[in-house]
Amino acid sequence: MMTPITLLEKRRIVLGVTGSIAAYKAADLASKLTQAGALVDVIMTDAAQRFIAPLTFQALTGRAVYTDLWRMDASAGLPTHIAHVGLAEGAAALLIAPASADAIARIAHGFASDLLSITALAARCPVVIAPAMDGSMYENEAVQTNLALLRQRGVLVIEPEEGRFASGLTGRGRLPETAALISALRYALGRSGALSKRRIIVTAGGTREAIDPVRYLTNRSSGKQGYALAHACLDAGADVVLITAARGLEAPFGAQIVSVDSAKQMHDAVLSAAAGADALIMAAAVADFRPASAAEQKIKKLEQADAPTLILERTPDILTAVHDRRQITGYPRVVVGFAAESRNIREYARDKLERKGLDLIVANDITASDAGFDTDTNRATIYDRGGGEEFLGLTSKARISEAIIARVAALLAEKG
Ligand code: CTP
């Protein structure tokens, strides 16, 4: 299930599907884009229809599917009755996935002999292309030269993945998963947003504090809220540095990813990225305590008379270190903290806002089963320095992120 994404809601996305065995994956893409709120107009080339039927897309999008340049059909409510101009007109983006070598060549060279090529010629919106073909074809200079030409013209090309092909061969040329394609589309759509040219650091996930080379202490944070925040920043056009201790989550397209393990590593990464940053959003669940010393070798059961006793020490408080630095440099210009509490939420949150010198703090009640760790939803309240409170009832982590980012954008706009 895909949650609605404001950037995609009610936006018309033209999805071009071309002749590749990966065409079946475009059905999932069309479905997820529709679930996210987009109005998806699918154009299929003749070759695409040999792999998958137009009816599949029609059923998934609830909209007409375009297969024929010569059919004059005004029934789909296009801005003009001429489909080849109408489809591009007013579209938020043109996404071609999968893009075959043939489609790439046609578009790179300005062909106008099929509906998809013509739509690409007429498009004034961002164009995103996801090549998918056998590895040897993808490496071919003709394909690479055509892609370079498209990149030069501002087309966003999504690099295919390495893996096994239907032919049984392996190489680079596989269509990335739907989540990665949607992430790239969001990136292309968001570039001119309210946070365009702003540099934002987001932290995510629970840190791991080593006991020995195989064991560690960690917490229940999944990193989902932090990743949703990184996505929301990218949707608003920001340049994002995502400092993450999370595992197994899809990296948001276009974010600079810094992977860390421990609180100390996260501390160092945040402080080095903070210089000159517009905002820091500290969504990570940083360990407060770590083993005072990590054993260099695995602790062996047989060498211990009893179970070992763990002596813990405090980790550095990252937000406090950032606050000290900020008082001298003025950066990051806006700092947002999080508070996961099981009682006295308002009181603890306001105390942290003060103590850590934050502009905003986002607090949630971790005792609720539909909020907090590893859920896709959350219930949060944003507290600000002026005493204001914004309660965001039970909603998706994506929506909560959008609300936080809107506040960050407003604070940055105030600061000029
Ligand atoms: N945080 C931090 N460095 C730490 C611990 C936490 O920067 N070593 C940040 C978190 O990322 C979060 C905020 O501080 O944005 C609040 O974290 P929380 O664990 O709720 O607060 P603590 O300061 O640890 O206070 P307490 O243990 O009293 O709840």
Side-chain angles (χ1 to χ4, degrees):
M1 179 58 195
M2 182 90 194
T3 50
I5 296 162
T6 302
L7 185 70
L8 292 171
E9 270 184 321
K10 304 216 167 53
R11 308 286 300 281
R12 209 161 60 75
I13 306 296
V14 179
L15 173 62
V17 182
T18 74
S20 152
I21 187 65
Y24 76 94
K25 291 188 183 171
D28 183 53
L29 176 61
S31 168
K32 297 278 169 33
L33 284 173
T34 305
Q35 289 174 37
L39 308 173
V40 184
D41 282 335
V42 176
I43 301 178
M44 298 181 77
T45 61
D46 289 346
Q49 293 169 66
R50 292 182 174 254
F51 291 96
I52 185 165
L55 182 63
T56 305
F57 290 103
Q58 200 181 318
L60 292 170
T61 62
R63 294 170 68 84
V65 170
Y66 300 86
T67 53
D68 187 353
L69 170 61
W70 302 109
R71 226 181 75 207
M72 297 292 190
D73 185 358
S75 60
L78 293 174
T80 116
H81 64 289
I82 311 286
H84 68 269
V85 192
L87 280 167
E89 189 66 34
L94 168 61
L95 168 61
I96 306 178
S100 63
D102 185 71
I104 291 166
R106 285 168 175 279
I107 293 165
H109 295 282
F111 277 43
S113 47
D114 65 282
L115 187 55
L116 182 59
S117 309
I118 290 185
T119 306
L121 272 183
R124 279 172 289 190
C125 57
V127 177
V128 181
I129 287 188
M133 64 200 73
D134 231 66
S136 48
M137 288 171 72
Y138 182 67
E139 278 168 22
N140 188 286
E141 227 173 282
V143 172
Q144 289 303 322
T145 307
N146 288 337
L147 287 173
L149 207 56
L150 290 171
R151 282 196 187 96
Q152 254 173 42
R153 292 189 203 132
V155 170
L156 178 64
V157 177
I158 306 172
E159 186 78 4
E161 289 177 353
E162 269 186 54
R164 186 186 170 282
F165 297 105
S167 62
L169 301 171
T170 54
R172 183 175 290 282
R174 283 174 57 87
L175 187 71
E177 294 305 315
T178 298
L181 298 174
I182 294 182
S183 186
L185 175 67
R186 286 171 72 169
Y187 182 81
L189 280 172
R191 286 304 82 198
S192 51
L195 290 176
S196 178
K197 309 252 173 342
R198 304 283 199 186
R199 198 161 152 272
I200 301 194
I201 308 164
V202 179
T203 67
T207 61
R208 302 173 181 217
E209 310 302 325
I211 297 171
D212 68 13
V214 286
R215 304 176 177 98
Y216 55 80
L217 294 177
T218 190
N219 56 61
R220 290 182 55 202
S221 167
S222 62
K224 284 182 180 174
Q225 183 69 69
Y227 275 60
L229 278 157
H231 266 305
C233 289
L234 289 159
D235 282 357
D239 296 330
V240 175
V241 182
L242 176 58
I243 301 176
T244 175
R247 297 285 182 292
L249 295 177
E250 174 80 37
F253 187 97
Q256 183 194 330
I257 307 285
V258 181
S259 288
V260 297
D261 265 323
S262 64
K264 173 72 171 76
Q265 286 173 354
M266 185 168 277
H267 168 274
D268 295 351
V270 168
L271 285 187
S272 86
D278 288 293
L280 166 67
I281 306 177
M282 200 65 206
V286 186
D288 290 323
F289 309 102
R290 67 182 165 212
S293 65
E296 265 177 40
Q297 305 295 334
K298 185 184 171 193
I299 302 171
K300 299 293 285 176
K301 195 164 49 181
L302 294 176
E303 290 166 10
Q304 305 280 318
D306 297 309
T309 303
L310 277 184
I311 313 257
L312 301 179
E313 64 179 13
R314 292 275 291 266
T315 56
D317 191 279
I318 302 173
L319 281 175
T320 305
V322 166
H323 180 49
D324 294 346
R325 181 79 68 87
R326 188 184 182 201
Q327 281 179 317
I328 303 163
T329 64
Y331 288 97
R333 301 193 318 143
V334 170
V335 180
V336 182
F338 277 72
E341 307 289 353
S342 56
R343 64 198 156 107
N344 304 340
I345 300 176
R346 178 182 287 119
E347 186 192 328
Y348 286 147
R350 286 227 164 269
D351 173 59
K352 280 176 195 167
L353 181 84
E354 247 355 280
R355 245 189 317 120
K356 302 194 184 205
L358 307 174
D359 298 286
L360 301 171
I361 192 156
V362 184
N364 59 294
D365 179 355
I366 53 168
T367 60
S369 63
D370 51 10
F373 299 120
D374 209 24
T375 55
D376 289 320
T377 52
N378 215 347
R379 294 168 195 273
T381 305
I382 306 176
Y383 298 90
D384 63 34
R385 292 202 75 77
E389 292 180 17
E390 182 182 350
F391 176 65
L392 311 165
L394 182 66
T395 182
S396 67
K397 286 185 173 172
R399 288 276 194 233
I400 292 199
S401 302
E402 287 169 2
I404 297 166
I405 297 311
R407 297 288 295 261
V408 169
L411 284 171
L412 283 172
E414 258 172 45
K415 289 176 190 259

